[in-house]
Amino acid sequence: MTHQDKIQTVEALEKFILQKGSQNQVAAGMSGVSAATLSQMRNHKWELIADEMWRKVAKYVGVSASGWNHAETRNSLELEEFFNDSQQFSLVMAITGKAGAGKSKTAEKYEGENKNAFLLSCNEYWDKRWFLRELLAKMGKDHAGLTLPEMMHKAVLLLKSLESPIIILDEADKLADNVLLFFITLYNALENHCGIVLMATHFLEKRIRRGVAMEKKGYREIYSRVGLRFIELENTSYSDVEKICRANGIEDTAIIRTISKDCDGDLRRVRRLIFSHKRAS
């Protein structure tokens, strides 16, 4: 981490704390980072803070030490509009797109820039308790000593007390059936109080539709609650790749065309190719 990277991280951290309401709430959402460490960063007492800690905080607040600059693609603009609509009008949505379409990065950016936005990156090993633990942590609240019903009650009361909250469930297709069906309970408790966005690859749509066709428990309810519709993101276009390339210092049209041809619509691949071309030059 360079000195400039640390300055950018602190600036982003200050903005993040302003959005989330308090330093303690931000620290609670970061695994392995204390409020005291954030205080030291904000007060420029950096001598004893390891680079690994800086990188962890920088990643959380959306700052890259690699010099990477984000660009507004068609999908990122659409996603931000969907998130805003969901948050403002307490809508439930299901959004699908190919891997590498920029879903996660856009959601991270939205969470960092908007108050009462909570992004959960789902995993296969989550159970209901772990789901609620992550949700409470994002809101800066402790779950220690609480039973599952008490955690649910606490999360719902907190969300209902907030102005226009939104929960974004990224990679929702990774959730086991019992946790995915828990979405119904959450929806029922928060209807008209909180926006909820399920976001994943196309596998989520196939899974839900197959569950409906097989009359599996809860799947018709999930399908109904997302409005009987899955919003599909567009494929990455040449214009998207060009914007990202130019934002990161590649202006040569021939190189941009090569990157667009080789990336197969995957923005992670675009990033790798950009770094490869920059190293070569």
Side-chain angles (χ1 to χ4, degrees):
M1 293 285 290
T2 66
H3 183 74
Q4 186 60 36
D5 289 333
K6 292 177 181 178
I7 290 175
Q8 290 178 359
T9 299
V10 172
E11 289 175 349
L13 176 61
E14 293 289 358
K15 183 177 179 181
F16 209 82
I17 289 171
L18 184 64
Q19 292 287 350
K20 297 304 176 185
S22 74
Q23 178 177 278
N24 288 342
Q25 186 167 332
V26 173
M30 282 190 252
S31 177
V33 181
S34 68
T37 298
L38 297 186
S39 181
Q40 289 176 336
M41 288 181 174
R42 298 173 72 192
N43 292 313
H44 286 236
K45 297 178 180 179
W46 299 350
E47 297 80 8
L48 300 179
I49 303 176
D51 278 357
E52 181 60 32
M53 187 64 70
W54 278 105
R55 283 190 286 270
K56 185 179 292 188
V57 174
K59 181 180 179 181
Y60 189 84
V61 299
V63 174
S64 172
S66 61
W68 181 258
N69 296 314
H70 294 282
E72 290 187 333
T73 64
R74 177 174 49 182
N75 281 339
S76 70
L77 291 172
E78 282 193 346
L79 277 171
E80 288 184 10
E81 186 175 341
F82 292 142
F83 294 154
N84 184 68
D85 285 348
S86 175
Q87 184 168 18
Q88 185 176 353
F89 301 110
S90 300
L91 301 177
V92 177
M93 300 180 179
I95 300 173
T96 62
K98 290 182 177 179
K103 301 184 296 297
S104 298
K105 290 299 180 184
T106 304
E108 289 172 7
K109 180 174 179 288
Y110 187 87
E111 181 189 39
E113 294 178 351
N114 291 273
K115 191 174 183 179
N116 298 333
F118 308 107
L119 170 64
L120 301 183
S121 299
C122 304
N123 274 293
E124 295 94 339
Y125 60 82
W126 282 16
D127 56 16
K128 295 177 185 178
R129 186 174 182 84
W130 198 285
F131 176 91
L132 288 173
R133 167 186 168 174
E134 293 293 320
L135 179 57
L136 287 169
K138 280 288 184 175
M139 293 188 285
K141 302 300 179 182
D142 190 13
H143 71 285
L146 298 179
T147 64
L148 181 63
E150 288 171 340
M151 292 171 70
M152 181 66 174
H153 182 66
K154 183 175 183 177
V156 169
L157 285 182
L158 285 168
L159 287 164
K160 284 188 173 181
S161 71
L162 299 176
E163 181 182 356
S164 301
I166 179 175
I167 301 170
I168 302 171
L169 303 178
D170 189 23
E171 298 189 274
D173 53 341
K174 289 184 176 181
L175 294 174
D177 267 7
N178 64 329
V179 185
L180 184 59
L181 296 180
F182 191 50
F183 157 77
I184 300 171
T185 305
L186 193 65
Y187 170 91
N188 290 342
L190 295 171
E191 188 175 7
N192 299 323
H193 291 282
C194 178
I196 303 176
V197 176
L198 301 176
M199 194 165 62
T201 62
H202 298 93
F203 180 72
L204 177 65
E205 180 176 2
K206 292 180 181 178
R207 179 179 169 186
I208 299 299
R209 290 186 183 279
R210 184 166 58 245
V212 171
M214 296 174 63
E215 298 186 354
K216 291 181 69 175
K217 179 183 177 181
Y219 276 80
R220 169 61 66 178
E221 287 83 353
I222 293 175
Y223 193 38
S224 172
R225 282 159 176 76
V226 299
L228 306 179
R229 181 192 175 202
F230 290 83
I231 301 170
E232 184 174 357
L233 298 177
E234 300 287 342
N235 292 330
T236 301
S237 67
Y238 173 82
S239 176
D240 294 330
V241 176
E242 182 180 26
K243 288 177 182 177
I244 295 170
C245 287
R246 295 192 185 280
N248 288 280
I250 292 185
E251 300 286 345
D252 190 311
T253 303
I255 294 177
I256 295 173
R257 287 201 190 101
T258 299
I259 291 174
S260 180
K261 186 182 295 184
D262 291 349
C263 73
D264 196 27
D266 190 319
L267 298 187
R268 296 187 184 94
R269 176 68 176 163
V270 171
R271 179 170 179 160
R272 285 174 178 262
L273 291 169
I274 288 174
F275 282 135
S276 177
H277 279 284
K278 290 175 81 170
R279 281 197 303 269
S281 62

